[in-house]
Amino acid sequence: VQLQASGGGLVQAGGSLRLTCAASGLTLGNYGMGWFRQAPGKEREFVAGISWSGGSTGYADSVKGRFTISRDNAKNTTYLQMNSLKPEDTAAYYCAADKTGWGSTMSRYDYWGQGTQVTVSS
């Protein structure tokens, strides 16, 4: 089982990036998905989550209205569209799969990707 996160990079404040999480070795449509991030010296934190069907989503207050999580089960892929990026969004971003749904607690997730770095310059 592998979750491959990609799409990170360096962007100016106000810019946009789309992160992609591609799964292999599991059927992503059977899992809720989450995106988390970890800035240097800080704990990993929940960013966004989506149910297996895409019918339910949730966001951290810090990204609500700027980030959008989505999924394409036919492509075994989940996305995180990030708009109006701020320097405080700088972090390594991780995707995770949860067989029971989605939530903001890290321990509920069964599989994790390796992370993709997002750096937002001011």
Side-chain angles (χ1 to χ4, degrees):
V1 173
Q2 187 175 17
L3 298 178
Q4 181 74 38
S6 62
L10 174 64
V11 63
Q12 288 188 331
S16 298
L17 284 173
R18 188 175 81 155
L19 305 184
T20 298
C21 177
S24 59
L26 80 166
T27 302
L28 211 57
N30 293 333
Y31 291 79
M33 296 297 296
W35 284 95
F36 290 76
R37 67 186 181 186
Q38 187 167 19
K42 295 188 176 181
E43 294 185 352
R44 193 170 298 188
E45 64 177 4
F46 172 78
V47 175
I50 188 168
S51 62
W52 67 270
S53 67
S56 172
T57 59
Y59 299 90
D61 287 343
S62 59
V63 307
K64 204 171 291 184
R66 300 187 298 121
F67 290 12
T68 303
I69 188 171
S70 62
R71 65 190 302 157
D72 186 337
N73 289 340
K75 294 183 178 180
N76 234 25
T77 302
T78 302
Y79 306 97
L80 185 68
Q81 177 67 43
M82 306 186 296
N83 298 329
S84 302
L85 282 161
K86 304 175 180 180
E88 51 263 44
D89 294 319
T90 295
Y93 283 72
Y94 300 85
C95 60
D98 175 1
K99 200 167 186 178
T100 65
W102 68 270
S104 61
T105 304
M106 287 177 53
S107 60
R108 65 179 295 151
Y109 286 85
D110 302 291
Y111 303 105
W112 288 83
Q114 84 293 354
T116 185
Q117 179 66 37
V118 172
T119 302
V120 184
S121 63
S122 56

